[in-house]
Amino acid sequence: MAVCFPDTQGDAPRIAIHLSRVGVTGVKKLLRLERGEKRPIILIPTFDAFVDLPSNQKGIHMSRSPEAISEVVDEVVSNSTIGVESICANIVKRMLEKHEYAARVEVNMTSDFMFTRESPVTNKESQEMAKLIANAVGIRDENGEITIRKSIGAEVVGMTVCPCAQESVREADRVKLLEFLDEETCAKVLDTVTFASHNQRGVGTILIEVPEHQNVEGEKIIEIIESSMSSPVCGLLKRPDENATVMNAHKNPVFVEDCVRNMVEKIIEEYSDLPDDTLITFRQVNHESIHRHNAFAEKVSTLGSLKEELNWEE
Amino acid sequence: MAVCFPDTQGDAPRIAIHLSRVGVTGVKKLLRLERGEKRPIILIPTFDAFVDLPSNQKGIHMSRSPEAISEVVDEVVSNSTIGVESICANIVKRMLEKHEYAARVEVNMTSDFMFTRESPVTNKESQEMAKLIANAVGIRDENGEITIRKSIGAEVVGMTVCPCAQESVREADRVKLLEFLDEETCAKVLDTVTFASHNQRGVGTILIEVPEHQNVEGEKIIEIIESSMSSPVCGLLKRPDENATVMNAHKNPVFVEDCVRNMVEKIIEEYSDLPDDTLITFRQVNHESIHRHNAFAEKVSTLGSLKEELNWEE
Amino acid sequence: MAVCFPDTQGDAPRIAIHLSRVGVTGVKKLLRLERGEKRPIILIPTFDAFVDLPSNQKGIHMSRSPEAISEVVDEVVSNSTIGVESICANIVKRMLEKHEYAARVEVNMTSDFMFTRESPVTNKESQEMAKLIANAVGIRDENGEITIRKSIGAEVVGMTVCPCAQESVREADRVKLLEFLDEETCAKVLDTVTFASHNQRGVGTILIEVPEHQNVEGEKIIEIIESSMSSPVCGLLKRPDENATVMNAHKNPVFVEDCVRNMVEKIIEEYSDLPDDTLITFRQVNHESIHRHNAFAEKVSTLGSLKEELNWEE
Amino acid sequence: MAVCFPDTQGDAPRIAIHLSRVGVTGVKKLLRLERGEKRPIILIPTFDAFVDLPSNQKGIHMSRSPEAISEVVDEVVSNSTIGVESICANIVKRMLEKHEYAARVEVNMTSDFMFTRESPVTNKESQEMAKLIANAVGIRDENGEITIRKSIGAEVVGMTVCPCAQESVREADRVKLLEFLDEETCAKVLDTVTFASHNQRGVGTILIEVPEHQNVEGEKIIEIIESSMSSPVCGLLKRPDENATVMNAHKNPVFVEDCVRNMVEKIIEEYSDLPDDTLITFRQVNHESIHRHNAFAEKVSTLGSLKEELNWEE
């Protein structure tokens, strides 16, 4: 005799409130994106996927969410142009179909992402790792119309040199140099020497909205984050590379705040054609070498507001 | 000759944008709160502390933030009534004084928190650990008026039993029992037996705003979270305790969604006198024993909206 | 004028002691292993790599270790048969060449590893994730002879059901059933019903040495770990799958100790032809649903000793 | 009718092998150690506790291990002289009593530990956090004789400056200075200037065995670890403090290997009276500011071997 399983989820709950987000977190997949002639992109993303739940239903049909993720991940393999933010958007669409009671669906993704860099002097090529992040939110209005907003971003490690500490070391050394140098020679020495500062690993993050038919490349975001710090870092540095990295970084000292400002400027320069309501998050966390704690700076804004703040004219 | 250190932070930045949040993360302190006659509360909190930064200033004076944390932590020791959310509020006030250019200050805190429980049958007392969380945000308007909103909450581990899987096990077993039992006896057996389901660790979280002169006890929040799952867990369970825990939990199966609903109901019952604009977050994450991924449910709402949704009448 | 960089590492240190292990940790790479006709294996491994350092040398040439990792990772791409433990062994060999002063080299690797499973009833295919682990240690004796020992293993999540709690629930229910059932009918009911217990995620780990010209498949290790718990877990379970998973798991309750014993038995059965001095580690950690803490069991032994303990006869 | 719970653990297992370690991990407690006149020490330790299990017994009596931890933690409160390694040893003794079938018991502990430091110039006092670690292993021989070995240690964050990169910056700058300075003036400038290097957070670790009736203070271990790096770090640094920290650190550049050597020397100097068979682990991990990966060095040795390597004479 066949067992007829009950649909406990479909019951009405005793406490009848609408829930903001119900779903799964930590769903890991392997994702291979063909790129035509180029090397395929390989990711091992972790997904979170949520729907809202009306007050008259006890539970969501939980298995439909990992199912939607699986289906989309299986289908994208052969699509040579899709971006990770569009994969999130596709999962959102699939979930809106499967969870017919949901009015809001949200999908977040984060993955290791491999890119290559050359060391600055000996040009050794090295695989480097960043975090690629993406998300999409779909809203279904009362007429069944669906609006989806999606974002892509990255989290990248670089090197930051503190300008304040470097200034103070320079000043302390200047006083000592003036004990045996004249003002003019001293000035030349100060211009020549690479003064110490504290420096450390910094982690820069950008997350930027992408309109339906435009494109923002993850690689470009990574370049912008890297170039907003004192120096990129590299896994493979021979001695002349290490020297160049340290000297270049100390010629370009930046506060945690400056990293955010640099990212803002570069994003506007690169993506000034995106809509004014494009939401962007910029964040920098420096693992201060002189403290146990971290330094942090953040800017959350729309592209339009950023342009306004900076009196940007194209 | 004395060295005169430059105030690099005070300079105007090249890219003149206002920054949303600048500060420190991961500042760890030891905090001992006297409680009059009662055992003192001991915490090892980790603080994050942020200020906003006007567009005409290159950097915040970073050291003033850990300084404000240190000063407040040192001062509260002898205060027998202060709550952790008020400690965050006091740090916010101190930071608003020290960072005279800031219009918004935010302080977040999380800490291990020890409480005691008795095992259900043999009444063995056991130290149990939860996370205590708190935050405060201060806004300084154009007239220098300061408004502070603060919240307290907790994150507690408990046990959740899936009602859907239990129903399906019961149904499958019912079919087999009917092969040798009559309907009436079968019904009595079904009422008597503790049917299996999948069960697992769940983590419940509540964060609730607290008005300036009212009080929400961390211990009470922990009790509400624990009692919203199928069963509390305990570090020390002799065999009869383990049996009681498992049997009680299986008499009280809950979906991840139910845990959130239960928390909502208990919070309204306990704190119906708080203002209608009190913002509350409820969250449950179950580490599903049948999956590698987690189940998640969340409700973010004001107390007023919750009462309205539930037609609450006092 | 060219700068001549000093070889600070080559200097003699003031405190002349031999160091056990010097190297790099956390080196992440993307690794693609072709498998002939089969789907290629894709990994994002994290490597640690160490050499010992004689007492007369101030530092190792640090960049040579990530360089060795890079070179080997680049070369293996087209090799259709190599295992991850052999990749570690090849890195060890390369490092012994590059660090001519080292007598001992150690390389450890851990990576997400994707495999597929079908759900037990509806046969939905699902990508599942485990950790693949490998290591190799090379010793260079005084005559320059090199001996390398290498291991492969995995860390896999499954479901464990406690036999003791299930017995006690059954016993408690038996007493209640006897109030209205005769002994014989009661016995039949007890045989039929799926009694509750606490169950939870368990994480099983095996690490096994592999002789130079033999082969141990990561997939086989994963199967052994999974089948040593009460049930495998799966990312995609429709309602009948969930029912089957829960019911099967409760028919196969295991202590944390039993998981280790089951792994031992299966490894001996599968790999009885490996040498007697093959070192094997078995470990199980259960995230107890009734406690905040975990249960743990471990066996570290050689294959020969295991066979002896169990009076194994082939 | 009373339920009689079965002792499933006492059964004989089907696969009769001895298990190396069975127990609990992640047991968190609050621990308050009075120190007579001095400020009490407050810890929130996490314990792991293991016993071995004979081949003829299915399971350990799991609840006895957290019970032993609880009892010892409750009892030590009023003992003004006990060290954390002795607490671990006491738990081992209690577990040997409770698990009468065990021949080997192991207890590990790790905890946040608060100590205070003054900033180097303005003498601001600041709470600082390190990890305190301890363990104990008890062996019961065939005659029931018990031998216990115990260890204490710490894991401390500090700042490390790379000597090699600093040398290369100095050399590169020297070449440029010689374009307008004579050799003698250049030499004086080189002696005066604080040249840049890469610097970063380093984490030093020492774990040292302690004989039954001798004492090793956690605070002393922390001091030794801190002073083996280029500079200690501090949570609260005003501008002159930051300058002093950076300048002092750059006067004392150390390789990851040097940190280990420095710790070795200081430990021998401080604890030369400990027995020759005292086992000690020294470890340093630097979070390289120029790489995504870390640098690592380790020495594991007995005190006697260290003295021999260094021809130590007291």
Side-chain angles (χ1 to χ4, degrees):
Chain A
M1 181 178 152
V3 178
C4 173
F5 293 118
D7 179 15
T8 319
Q9 280 82 0
D11 294 351
R14 188 178 58 80
I15 306 164
I17 52 164
H18 173 266
L19 295 182
S20 321
R21 299 197 297 170
V22 182
V24 291
T25 65
V27 178
K28 273 194 160 185
K29 297 288 167 195
L30 177 67
L31 186 55
R32 181 191 159 96
L33 301 173
E34 294 298 335
R35 281 287 180 258
E37 302 290 291
K38 293 165 66 181
R39 195 168 36 88
I41 292 178
I42 285 163
L43 304 172
I44 303 189
T46 301
F47 291 97
D48 300 340
F50 311 107
V51 304
D52 69 331
L53 180 65
S55 61
N56 63 350
Q57 190 172 324
K58 193 168 161 67
I60 73 163
H61 294 88
M62 201 65 93
S63 71
R64 296 180 192 173
S65 300
E67 198 173 25
I69 296 171
S70 282
E71 289 172 10
V72 172
V73 163
D74 288 350
E75 291 162 16
V76 295
V77 172
S78 54
N79 183 329
S80 70
T81 57
I82 195 165
V84 285
E85 76 284 10
S86 298
I87 290 170
C88 290
N90 288 354
I91 297 172
V92 163
K93 281 177 213 156
R94 192 66 54 96
M95 286 174 69
L96 281 164
E97 289 165 22
K98 288 179 187 282
H99 299 277
E100 66 286 353
Y101 43 80
R104 183 185 181 280
V105 171
E106 174 185 339
V107 170
N108 303 318
M109 189 220 80
T110 177
S111 175
D112 280 331
F113 174 77
M114 203 270 283
F115 58 105
T116 54
R117 285 290 177 269
E118 282 192 355
S119 68
V121 178
T122 67
N123 300 114
K124 294 258 173 191
E125 199 182 75
S126 165
Q127 282 190 7
E128 303 291 321
M129 224 32 100
K131 288 267 170 216
L132 200 61
I133 50 184
N135 68 44
V137 174
I139 305 286
R140 175 157 44 200
D141 71 14
E142 287 154 26
N143 304 319
E145 291 290 319
I146 290 170
T147 321
I148 294 183
R149 302 193 70 156
K150 58 187 181 179
S151 301
I152 187 174
E155 194 184 295
V156 188
V157 172
M159 182 183 180
T160 60
V161 174
C162 175
C164 169
Q166 194 178 36
E167 266 303 295
S168 81
V169 167
R170 178 190 159 102
E171 181 57 24
D173 282 354
R174 190 182 68 86
V175 171
K176 285 186 258 167
L177 288 168
L178 282 177
E179 289 173 14
F180 61 89
L181 292 181
D182 60 69
E183 287 273 358
E184 193 188 3
T185 313
C186 182
K188 284 169 76 176
V189 167
L190 294 180
D191 277 0
T192 304
V193 161
T194 312
F195 287 100
S197 183
H198 66 89
N199 54 75
Q200 54 267 319
R201 279 190 203 156
V203 183
T205 305
I206 293 176
L207 184 68
I208 181 169
E209 272 195 317
V210 186
E212 191 164 2
H213 302 297
Q214 267 169 291
N215 196 16
V216 170
E217 286 282 343
E219 278 96 339
K220 190 70 212 168
I221 301 280
I222 290 173
E223 275 175 45
I224 287 174
I225 297 171
E226 269 192 320
S227 61
S228 297
M229 296 188 240
S230 295
S231 170
V233 299
C234 191
L236 193 42
L237 296 174
K238 305 308 285 183
R239 206 165 284 147
D241 300 313
E242 184 190 41
N243 177 262
T245 300
V246 171
M247 295 191 76
N248 290 339
H250 282 79
K251 276 181 199 119
N252 184 28
V254 285
F255 281 128
V256 67
E257 295 94 338
D258 292 322
C259 297
V260 169
R261 291 187 194 101
N262 290 341
M263 291 191 277
V264 167
E265 187 178 55
K266 287 169 206 285
I267 282 286
I268 299 182
E269 281 167 1
E270 188 75 27
Y271 298 108
S272 62
D273 57 328
L274 291 181
D276 272 359
D277 71 341
T278 300
L279 187 65
I280 324 178
T281 299
F282 306 89
R283 187 179 304 126
Q284 178 75 20
V285 181
N286 288 345
H287 299 178
E288 302 288 285
S289 65
I290 56 168
H291 299 301
R292 281 173 181 81
H293 61 255
N294 300 326
F296 175 102
E298 191 182 68
K299 174 74 174 178
V300 182
S301 185
T302 60
L303 187 62
S305 298
L306 290 173
K307 285 178 171 176
E308 210 173 301
E309 272 200 79
L310 290 171
N311 300 313
W312 184 267
E313 288 174 37
E314 282 152 271
Chain B
M1 180 176 153
V3 178
C4 174
F5 294 118
D7 178 16
T8 319
Q9 279 82 359
D11 294 351
R14 187 178 60 79
I15 306 164
I17 52 162
H18 172 266
L19 295 182
S20 320
R21 299 197 298 171
V22 182
V24 291
T25 66
V27 178
K28 272 194 161 186
K29 296 289 165 192
L30 176 66
L31 186 55
R32 182 192 158 94
L33 300 173
E34 294 297 337
R35 280 290 183 256
E37 301 290 292
K38 293 164 66 180
R39 196 167 36 88
I41 291 177
I42 286 163
L43 303 171
I44 304 189
T46 301
F47 291 98
D48 298 342
F50 310 107
V51 303
D52 69 330
L53 180 65
S55 61
N56 62 351
Q57 190 172 326
K58 191 170 163 65
I60 74 162
H61 295 88
M62 201 63 94
S63 71
R64 295 180 192 173
S65 300
E67 197 172 27
I69 296 171
S70 282
E71 288 171 10
V72 172
V73 163
D74 289 349
E75 290 163 17
V76 294
V77 173
S78 55
N79 183 329
S80 69
T81 57
I82 195 165
V84 285
E85 77 283 12
S86 298
I87 291 171
C88 289
N90 288 355
I91 297 173
V92 164
K93 283 178 210 156
R94 192 67 54 93
M95 285 175 68
L96 281 165
E97 289 165 23
K98 288 179 187 284
H99 299 277
E100 66 286 352
Y101 42 81
R104 183 186 181 280
V105 172
E106 174 186 339
V107 171
N108 303 319
M109 189 218 81
T110 177
S111 176
D112 279 331
F113 174 77
M114 202 271 284
F115 59 105
T116 55
R117 285 291 178 268
E118 283 192 356
S119 68
V121 178
T122 67
N123 300 114
K124 295 258 172 188
E125 199 182 76
S126 165
Q127 283 190 7
E128 301 292 320
M129 223 34 98
K131 287 267 170 216
L132 200 60
I133 50 184
N135 68 44
V137 174
I139 305 289
R140 177 157 42 200
D141 71 15
E142 285 154 27
N143 304 319
E145 292 290 319
I146 290 169
T147 320
I148 295 183
R149 301 192 74 155
K150 58 188 181 180
S151 302
I152 187 174
E155 193 183 297
V156 188
V157 172
M159 181 182 181
T160 60
V161 174
C162 176
C164 170
Q166 195 179 34
E167 267 303 297
S168 81
V169 168
R170 179 190 157 103
E171 182 57 23
D173 282 353
R174 189 182 68 87
V175 171
K176 286 187 257 166
L177 288 168
L178 283 175
E179 290 173 13
F180 59 91
L181 291 182
D182 59 68
E183 287 273 358
E184 192 188 4
T185 313
C186 182
K188 282 169 79 177
V189 168
L190 294 179
D191 277 359
T192 304
V193 161
T194 312
F195 287 99
S197 181
H198 66 88
N199 55 75
Q200 53 268 319
R201 279 189 203 156
V203 183
T205 304
I206 294 177
L207 184 67
I208 181 168
E209 270 195 320
V210 186
E212 190 164 3
H213 301 296
Q214 267 167 292
N215 197 17
V216 170
E217 286 282 342
E219 277 96 339
K220 189 72 212 166
I221 302 280
I222 291 173
E223 275 175 44
I224 287 174
I225 297 170
E226 269 192 322
S227 61
S228 297
M229 297 188 239
S230 295
S231 170
V233 298
C234 191
L236 192 43
L237 296 175
K238 304 309 285 184
R239 207 167 283 148
D241 300 315
E242 185 190 38
N243 177 261
T245 300
V246 172
M247 294 192 76
N248 291 337
H250 282 78
K251 279 182 196 115
N252 185 28
V254 285
F255 281 129
V256 68
E257 295 95 336
D258 293 322
C259 297
V260 168
R261 291 187 194 101
N262 290 342
M263 290 191 276
V264 167
E265 186 178 55
K266 287 170 205 285
I267 282 285
I268 299 182
E269 279 167 3
E270 188 75 27
Y271 298 107
S272 63
D273 57 328
L274 291 182
D276 273 359
D277 71 341
T278 299
L279 187 66
I280 323 179
T281 299
F282 306 88
R283 188 180 304 127
Q284 178 74 20
V285 180
N286 287 347
H287 299 177
E288 301 289 284
S289 65
I290 55 168
H291 298 302
R292 281 172 180 82
H293 61 256
N294 301 325
F296 175 102
E298 190 181 68
K299 173 74 174 177
V300 182
S301 185
T302 61
L303 187 62
S305 299
L306 290 173
K307 285 178 171 177
E308 210 174 302
E309 273 201 79
L310 291 171
N311 301 313
W312 186 266
E313 287 175 38
E314 282 153 271
Chain C
M1 179 177 151
V3 178
C4 173
F5 293 118
D7 179 14
T8 319
Q9 280 82 359
D11 294 351
R14 187 179 60 78
I15 306 165
I17 51 163
H18 173 266
L19 294 182
S20 321
R21 300 198 295 171
V22 181
V24 292
T25 67
V27 178
K28 272 193 161 187
K29 296 289 166 192
L30 177 67
L31 185 56
R32 182 191 159 95
L33 300 174
E34 294 297 336
R35 282 286 181 258
E37 301 291 290
K38 295 165 66 181
R39 193 168 37 88
I41 291 178
I42 286 162
L43 304 171
I44 304 189
T46 302
F47 290 98
D48 299 340
F50 310 107
V51 303
D52 68 331
L53 181 64
S55 60
N56 62 349
Q57 189 172 324
K58 192 169 162 67
I60 74 162
H61 294 88
M62 200 65 93
S63 72
R64 295 180 191 173
S65 300
E67 198 173 24
I69 297 170
S70 282
E71 290 172 10
V72 172
V73 163
D74 289 350
E75 291 162 16
V76 294
V77 172
S78 54
N79 182 329
S80 68
T81 57
I82 195 165
V84 285
E85 77 283 11
S86 298
I87 291 171
C88 289
N90 288 354
I91 297 173
V92 164
K93 281 177 212 155
R94 193 66 55 96
M95 285 174 69
L96 281 165
E97 289 165 22
K98 287 179 187 283
H99 299 277
E100 66 285 352
Y101 42 81
R104 182 185 181 281
V105 170
E106 174 184 339
V107 169
N108 304 318
M109 188 218 81
T110 177
S111 176
D112 280 332
F113 174 77
M114 203 270 283
F115 58 105
T116 54
R117 285 289 176 270
E118 282 192 357
S119 68
V121 179
T122 68
N123 300 114
K124 295 259 173 189
E125 199 181 76
S126 167
Q127 282 190 8
E128 303 291 321
M129 231 19 110
K131 287 271 169 212
L132 200 60
I133 50 184
N135 68 44
V137 173
I139 305 287
R140 175 156 45 199
D141 70 15
E142 285 154 27
N143 305 319
E145 292 291 318
I146 290 170
T147 320
I148 294 184
R149 301 193 71 156
K150 58 187 182 180
S151 302
I152 186 174
E155 192 183 296
V156 189
V157 172
M159 181 183 182
T160 60
V161 174
C162 176
C164 169
Q166 195 179 33
E167 267 301 297
S168 81
V169 168
R170 178 190 159 101
E171 180 58 23
D173 282 355
R174 189 182 69 86
V175 170
K176 285 186 259 167
L177 288 168
L178 282 177
E179 289 173 13
F180 60 91
L181 292 181
D182 60 67
E183 287 273 358
E184 193 188 3
T185 314
C186 181
K188 283 170 77 176
V189 168
L190 295 180
D191 276 0
T192 304
V193 161
T194 313
F195 287 99
S197 182
H198 67 89
N199 55 76
Q200 54 267 321
R201 279 189 203 156
V203 183
T205 304
I206 293 177
L207 185 67
I208 181 168
E209 272 194 319
V210 185
E212 191 163 4
H213 301 297
Q214 268 168 291
N215 196 17
V216 170
E217 285 283 342
E219 277 96 339
K220 190 70 211 168
I221 301 280
I222 290 173
E223 275 175 45
I224 287 175
I225 297 171
E226 270 192 320
S227 62
S228 297
M229 297 189 240
S230 296
S231 171
V233 300
C234 190
L236 192 43
L237 297 174
K238 304 309 285 184
R239 207 165 284 148
D241 300 315
E242 185 191 38
N243 177 261
T245 300
V246 172
M247 294 192 76
N248 291 337
H250 283 78
K251 278 182 198 116
N252 185 27
V254 284
F255 282 128
V256 68
E257 294 95 337
D258 292 322
C259 298
V260 169
R261 290 188 196 102
N262 290 341
M263 291 191 277
V264 167
E265 187 178 55
K266 287 169 205 286
I267 282 285
I268 298 183
E269 280 167 4
E270 188 73 30
Y271 298 108
S272 62
D273 57 328
L274 290 182
D276 273 358
D277 71 340
T278 299
L279 187 66
I280 323 178
T281 299
F282 306 88
R283 188 181 302 126
Q284 178 74 19
V285 180
N286 288 348
H287 299 178
E288 301 289 285
S289 65
I290 56 167
H291 298 301
R292 282 173 180 82
H293 61 255
N294 301 326
F296 175 103
E298 191 181 69
K299 173 74 174 179
V300 182
S301 185
T302 61
L303 187 62
S305 298
L306 290 173
K307 285 178 172 178
E308 209 174 302
E309 272 201 79
L310 291 171
N311 301 313
W312 185 267
E313 288 173 40
E314 282 151 272
Chain D
M1 180 175 152
V3 177
C4 173
F5 294 118
D7 178 15
T8 319
Q9 280 82 1
D11 293 351
R14 187 178 60 78
I15 307 164
I17 52 162
H18 172 267
L19 295 182
S20 321
R21 298 197 298 168
V22 181
V24 291
T25 66
V27 178
K28 271 193 162 189
K29 297 290 166 192
L30 177 66
L31 185 56
R32 181 191 159 94
L33 301 174
E34 294 298 335
R35 281 288 181 256
E37 301 290 291
K38 294 164 68 182
R39 197 168 34 88
I41 291 177
I42 285 162
L43 304 172
I44 302 188
T46 301
F47 291 97
D48 299 342
F50 311 107
V51 303
D52 68 332
L53 180 66
S55 60
N56 61 351
Q57 190 173 324
K58 192 169 162 67
I60 74 162
H61 294 89
M62 201 64 94
S63 71
R64 296 181 191 171
S65 299
E67 197 173 26
I69 296 171
S70 282
E71 288 172 9
V72 172
V73 163
D74 289 350
E75 290 163 15
V76 295
V77 172
S78 54
N79 182 330
S80 69
T81 55
I82 196 165
V84 285
E85 76 283 11
S86 298
I87 291 170
C88 290
N90 287 354
I91 296 173
V92 164
K93 282 177 211 156
R94 193 65 54 95
M95 287 175 67
L96 281 166
E97 289 165 23
K98 287 179 189 283
H99 299 277
E100 65 286 353
Y101 42 80
R104 183 185 181 282
V105 171
E106 174 184 338
V107 170
N108 304 318
M109 190 219 79
T110 176
S111 175
D112 278 333
F113 174 77
M114 202 268 284
F115 59 103
T116 54
R117 285 289 178 269
E118 283 192 356
S119 68
V121 178
T122 68
N123 301 114
K124 295 259 174 189
E125 200 182 75
S126 168
Q127 282 190 6
E128 301 292 321
M129 225 32 100
K131 288 268 170 214
L132 201 60
I133 49 183
N135 69 44
V137 173
I139 305 288
R140 177 157 43 201
D141 70 17
E142 288 155 26
N143 305 317
E145 293 290 319
I146 291 169
T147 319
I148 294 183
R149 301 192 72 156
K150 58 188 182 179
S151 301
I152 187 174
E155 194 183 296
V156 189
V157 172
M159 182 183 182
T160 59
V161 174
C162 176
C164 169
Q166 193 178 35
E167 267 302 297
S168 81
V169 168
R170 178 191 159 104
E171 182 57 24
D173 282 355
R174 189 182 68 86
V175 170
K176 285 186 257 167
L177 288 168
L178 283 176
E179 290 173 13
F180 60 90
L181 291 182
D182 59 69
E183 287 273 359
E184 191 189 6
T185 312
C186 182
K188 282 168 77 176
V189 168
L190 294 180
D191 278 359
T192 303
V193 161
T194 312
F195 287 99
S197 182
H198 67 87
N199 54 75
Q200 53 267 319
R201 280 191 203 154
V203 183
T205 304
I206 294 177
L207 184 67
I208 181 168
E209 271 194 319
V210 186
E212 191 164 3
H213 301 297
Q214 265 167 294
N215 196 18
V216 170
E217 286 283 341
E219 278 97 338
K220 190 70 213 169
I221 301 281
I222 291 173
E223 276 176 44
I224 287 174
I225 297 171
E226 270 192 321
S227 62
S228 296
M229 295 188 240
S230 295
S231 170
V233 299
C234 191
L236 193 43
L237 296 174
K238 305 307 287 183
R239 205 165 286 147
D241 299 315
E242 185 191 38
N243 176 261
T245 299
V246 172
M247 296 191 75
N248 291 337
H250 282 79
K251 278 181 196 117
N252 184 29
V254 284
F255 281 128
V256 68
E257 294 95 337
D258 292 322
C259 297
V260 169
R261 290 186 195 103
N262 290 341
M263 290 191 276
V264 167
E265 186 178 56
K266 287 170 207 285
I267 282 285
I268 299 183
E269 279 168 2
E270 189 73 29
Y271 298 108
S272 62
D273 57 329
L274 291 182
D276 272 359
D277 70 342
T278 300
L279 187 66
I280 323 177
T281 299
F282 307 87
R283 188 179 304 125
Q284 178 75 20
V285 180
N286 287 346
H287 300 177
E288 301 289 285
S289 65
I290 56 168
H291 299 300
R292 282 171 181 83
H293 62 255
N294 300 326
F296 175 102
E298 191 181 67
K299 174 73 174 178
V300 181
S301 185
T302 60
L303 187 62
S305 298
L306 290 172
K307 285 179 171 177
E308 210 174 303
E309 273 202 77
L310 290 171
N311 301 313
W312 184 267
E313 289 175 35
E314 282 153 269

